[in-house]
Amino acid sequence: MKNLFLILFTLLVTQIQAQKFEGLALTPPMGWNSWNTFQTNINEELVKQTADLMVSSGMKDAGYNYIVLDDGWMAMERDSLTGDLVADPKKFPHGMKAVADYVHSKGLKFGLYNCAGTKTCQNYPGTRGYEYQDARLYASFDIDYLKFDWCNTKGINAKEAYTTMSMALKKAGRPMIFSVCEWGVNKPWEWAPQVGQLWRTTDDIYQVFDAMHNYGTWSAFGVMKILDLQDGLRKYAGPGHWNDPDMLEVGNGMRISEDRAHFSMWCMLAAPLMAGNDFRKMSKETLDIMTNKEAISINQDGLGIQGFKYSSKDSLEVWMKPLQNGNWAVCFLNRATNSKEVKFSWKDEIVSDSLSNMQLNAKTNIYKIRDVWTKTNLATTEKDFKAMIPSHDVLMLRLSK
Ligand code: GLA
């Protein structure tokens, strides 16, 4: 009898703990991650400056709230007595709890990185065999987000490894976004929705518009290549669980139009928006792109439906994303190296989406058209649409009934 009571009590506690993890990312997470610009050159000062700038630049007001330290935050060895991970004492002289406290004091959230394998991708101590211990440590630091990578995992099963870590986080009891980063190798979209809030769909992004680089065992992909790799995945995403086409490269060296196209497409994909640039050197153009509230509202739309490629001809693509209240986002993407004229007859193009069960039908409805980047109202869908789109740029519209 006593045992039965204990079992029921444990089950109840487990259930209550798991419930705290519900609804953590009803819209795609937004924030900043250190990797794309800093790799392992990170430290306490950088985090503090980034947190300060996230607030003072207006990024926080635009919705960015997670500051995530990627690979390189740890010392090379675990604590020899306790086996705990240790923050690198040179980079983080006051320890990681102090850093988390600072970030929280700015009204922001804080995240860390580790790997399911024996070592991280940069050879710092990995979590394999320490899942519950590491989860307890993160909870004691008051961490809000864990990115969990896939290096040095030879012979282990991805679904099992990520499930174990997800259970360990729930057991530790502090609600945390769990970012599954196994590069799409083991079809994470099929099992990760039950395990975490987002899952990487590809190898790493890098700051070019349309190329890829083969490193032998892995490849890095430019923005358009990553976009193409999202084909067929939209049905797996929705409120609380998102396809992650990797972090943003906005402000990291592409042309302004390319940055705008990159950001627009990540909005159309309902992708997590994790900035990856140096806030201390951010230009006004970069800030304007990343804080465009009308673009962000397309990304963060409560319906949580990932957009899709409606048509493609001569490097000109038309993307559609159903939004709340029967509205739609439409994005014309010019991938060509020359300008293109786009012509679109709203009344002739009836767009049906079986995933959302929505229809964009300008024969039966009149939609108002808003240009998201120039922030101007255009004519309604009563008239055919015509515009020039410069090379490697977009025209992104919100259509409302
Ligand atoms: C992998 C991940 C990257 C980054 C690095 C860190 O390549 O895909 O996003 O976390 O590891 O070493």
Side-chain angles (χ1 to χ4, degrees), residues 125-174:
T127 286
R128 185 157 190 217
Y130 292 88
E131 288 81 0
Y132 283 79
Q133 180 169 358
D134 288 357
R136 280 198 304 278
L137 186 74
Y138 302 142
S140 78
F141 289 164
D142 288 341
I143 296 303
D144 309 293
Y145 187 115
L146 177 69
K147 174 175 168 182
F148 209 50
D149 212 342
W150 189 237
C151 280
N152 303 300
T153 51
K154 202 159 179 254
I156 68 176
N157 175 291
K159 182 179 174 186
E160 286 171 7
Y162 282 94
T163 303
T164 304
M165 194 61 205
S166 159
M167 282 163 56
L169 293 176
K170 289 187 178 118
K171 185 84 195 351
R174 182 174 170 87

Side-chain angles (χ1 to χ4, degrees), residues 57 59 250-251 256 259-260 277-292 373 375:
S57 66
M59 290 287 285
V250 178
I256 291 168
D259 275 353
R260 181 168 44 239
N277 60 318
D278 185 346
F279 285 1
R280 300 165 310 180
K281 297 183 186 156
M282 178 151 56
S283 69
K284 182 172 179 318
E285 288 85 356
T286 298
L287 183 65
D288 284 350
I289 289 174
M290 284 200 296
T291 55
N292 181 323
W373 287 110
K375 298 182 182 152

